[in-house]
Amino acid sequence: MPPLPNAVTAAELQTLSSRAISAKEAAYCPYSKFRVGACIITDAGEYIVGANVENAAYPVGTCAERVAFATAIVAGHKDFKAIAVATDIKPGASPCGMCRQYMREFTTPSFPIYMYDGEGNYTVKTMSEVNPPPSESPRFYDTDVFAN
Ligand SMILES: [Zn+2]
């Protein structure tokens, strides 16, 4: 497999993962007890972290990925190389649908998402793998779906 256009170096991935994992400590999750940490690396090599921030009114809470991206955008960053998302479960969790759409706004199809489990192992998928365009969904234009 050719290297991803957004490929990070081994050293960058080490930093990305350790910061995402330690960002779990900042999670505010008294309701779910499900800690999530995230870390983005920008094209310029800066690291921006986020953690989930829950709310008594469930939909008001924010996921770690969106906290990290919002922080980065507000700080003026526009180009991103990769994100790491860390949870305490095994295998590591994939971003929720809201975060996939949110990240899509600011990333390319080849943008890698490194998903770390509670033991520090990861799987990686690209943005296009976790959030393919609707036109790539085989069911999207299948009118038979609605006929049945
Ligand atoms: Zn999410």
Side-chain angles (χ1 to χ4, degrees), residues 40 48-53 62-72 99 102:
I40 300 168
I48 295 127
V49 299
N52 53 326
V53 181
T62 310
C63 299
E65 301 94 311
R66 280 180 283 141
V67 169
F69 265 98
T71 302
C99 286
Y102 196 97

Side-chain angles (χ1 to χ4, degrees), residues 58-133:
Y58 177 75
V60 180
T62 310
C63 299
E65 301 94 311
R66 280 180 283 141
V67 169
F69 265 98
T71 302
I73 295 297
V74 169
H77 299 290
K78 293 182 173 64
D79 299 299
F80 306 101
K81 197 184 268 190
I83 189 171
V85 182
T87 56
D88 293 318
I89 60 172
K90 188 177 176 73
S94 184
C96 76
M98 200 181 293
C99 286
R100 293 175 191 198
Q101 175 61 35
Y102 196 97
M103 294 193 291
R104 187 181 182 134
E105 184 81 13
F106 307 112
T107 62
T108 62
S110 61
F111 181 80
I113 301 160
Y114 292 88
M115 296 164 280
Y116 285 83
D117 67 18
E119 296 172 357
N121 303 305
Y122 74 88
T123 54
V124 59
K125 289 191 173 179
T126 64
M127 181 58 67
S128 65
E129 287 175 313
V130 301
N131 191 25

Side-chain angles (χ1 to χ4, degrees), residues 12 25 32-33 51 57 75 84 86 97 108 131 136 142 147:
E12 287 172 333
E25 302 296 329
S32 72
K33 314 287 190 207
T108 62
N131 191 25
E136 291 179 7
D142 182 355

